[in-house]
Amino acid sequence: MKLAFSTLGVPGLPLTDVLALARTHGYHGVELRAHPEDPVHPGLTAAQRADAAASFASAGVDVLGLAGYARVAAPGADEPVIAEIRALLDLARDLGAPFVRVFPGGGTGQSPEEADATAARRLGTAAEYAADLGVRILLETHDSHRTGADAMRVLGLVGHRQVGALWDVMHTWLGGEQPAESFAALSPHLGYVQVKDIASADDTTPLPLGAGVLPLSDCVEILSRHGWDGWLCWEYEKRWYADAAPLPDLLAPGREHLSRLLNDSA
C-alpha cells in the first residue's frame, strides 16, 4: 500500500511546502482539499493548473485525489450538484488525479430511500462525464451515509465503474460497523482509505496515529489479508480543530506507525 496525507491537515499551506513535506517524510502522494481557502481548487486558471501539475511531477509525488464538498444526496435541484462535481472532475483531469471525493449530505427531511435515490441519480449522471475524463467519483462514508452498508445502498443503485467508495475509518467506526463489515461492503468499489485517530466517539479532535481508539491495526490487517494494494491517506482534520497539534511535526511518526502496521499485517 502507498501512503498519502490530506492538505486538510495543513490548511492554506502553499503547494511547494506541501510537496516538500511529502518528500521529506516519505509520503507517496497528497490528497488535495479542493476549497478556495487552499491553493488548489476549481477556480484555478488553466495556467495555474498546469503549474500545479508540473510541481507534483517535478517533486515525484502523486496527486491522490481531490477532496470536494459536493453533497450528492442533499435536497434541492440536481443541476447545481452535478455542475459542482463536473468542475471537480475537470480539475482532477488537469492535475492527473485519479479520484474525486464527494459527500452524501442527505437532509433530515428526507427518508433514507429518497436520499439514496437522489444520490444515485446524480452520481449516475456525473459518472458518464467522469468516464470521458478517466476519473472516478468516490462517495465517502460520512454524515447521512456513515457506514459501508449505508454507502452500498447508493452504489448498488448507481452500478457504474466510475463511481466508487472512499472508506473513512472514523465514520464507519462511529456508525457501529466493524472493519471486517466495512471492508466486505465496500471492497468491490473501494477507491482508497482515509485513516485517522481520535480520543473517543465524544471527542473527535485529531490525534497522532496510534494514540487514539480507532481500530487502525484491524483495518490494515483486513486490507492486507485480502491483498488490497491501494492508498492509505491520513486525513488529519486540523482545519476544524485549531488547537490540534501541527501536522508537520507528526508526519514522520505517522508514517512510521503505518509502516509498522503494514509490516505486522504482512
Side-chain angles (χ1 to χ4, degrees):
M1 299 178 215
K2 293 185 285 188
L3 305 180
F5 66 89
S6 169
T7 56
L8 188 64
V10 284
L13 191 68
L15 190 56
T16 52
D17 295 338
V18 170
L19 293 170
L21 287 174
R23 285 177 54 87
T24 299
H25 298 297
Y27 287 80
H28 309 97
V30 172
E31 178 194 72
L32 293 169
R33 178 178 183 245
H35 189 281
E37 293 178 347
D38 285 286
V40 179
H41 55 82
L44 295 186
T45 65
Q48 289 171 324
R49 295 172 186 220
D51 287 345
S55 295
F56 273 91
S58 64
V61 176
D62 290 339
V63 187
L64 168 57
L66 302 180
Y69 289 90
R71 286 165 167 77
V72 296
D78 287 355
E79 188 50 42
V81 180
I82 294 169
E84 185 175 358
I85 298 171
R86 285 176 172 165
L88 289 166
L89 291 167
D90 285 336
L91 180 59
R93 183 266 322 274
D94 293 343
L95 296 179
F99 302 117
V100 160
R101 185 278 305 279
V102 298
F103 283 148
T108 56
Q110 297 167 300
S111 69
E113 293 78 14
E114 289 171 327
D116 295 347
T118 298
R121 183 176 65 249
R122 292 166 176 170
L123 287 169
T125 300
E128 298 301 325
Y129 191 69
D132 291 340
L133 301 184
V135 181
R136 287 187 81 199
I137 305 166
L138 301 183
L139 178 66
E140 182 172 327
T141 54
H142 197 272
D143 56 78
S144 62
H145 291 66
R146 175 164 270 179
T147 66
D150 293 334
M152 276 306 303
R153 295 200 315 267
V154 174
L155 298 178
L157 291 173
V158 178
H160 196 292
R161 67 186 182 279
Q162 292 304 122
V163 177
L166 198 171
W167 180 11
D168 182 320
V169 302
M170 180 182 77
H171 283 283
T172 54
W173 180 81
L174 289 172
E177 203 172 58
Q178 295 299 312
E181 297 171 321
S182 301
F183 180 78
L186 298 172
S187 59
H189 306 276
L190 190 56
Y192 63 97
V193 179
Q194 283 180 344
V195 298
K196 59 189 71 172
D197 223 339
I198 57 174
S200 70
D202 298 319
D203 182 1
T204 56
T205 303
L207 295 176
L209 294 179
V213 297
L214 293 184
L216 299 181
S217 60
D218 291 345
C219 293
V220 171
E221 194 276 329
I222 288 163
L223 292 167
S224 296
R225 189 192 330 143
H226 288 87
W228 191 78
D229 61 354
W231 287 85
L232 300 178
C233 178
W234 186 5
E235 188 189 46
Y236 186 82
E237 298 184 341
K238 173 68 172 175
R239 173 61 184 84
W240 314 126
Y241 296 89
D243 294 335
L247 178 62
D249 297 338
L250 307 177
L251 283 171
R255 177 187 50 75
E256 292 165 4
H257 182 72
L258 291 175
S259 296
R260 282 195 300 272
L261 294 183
L262 289 167
N263 289 334
D264 291 346
S265 66

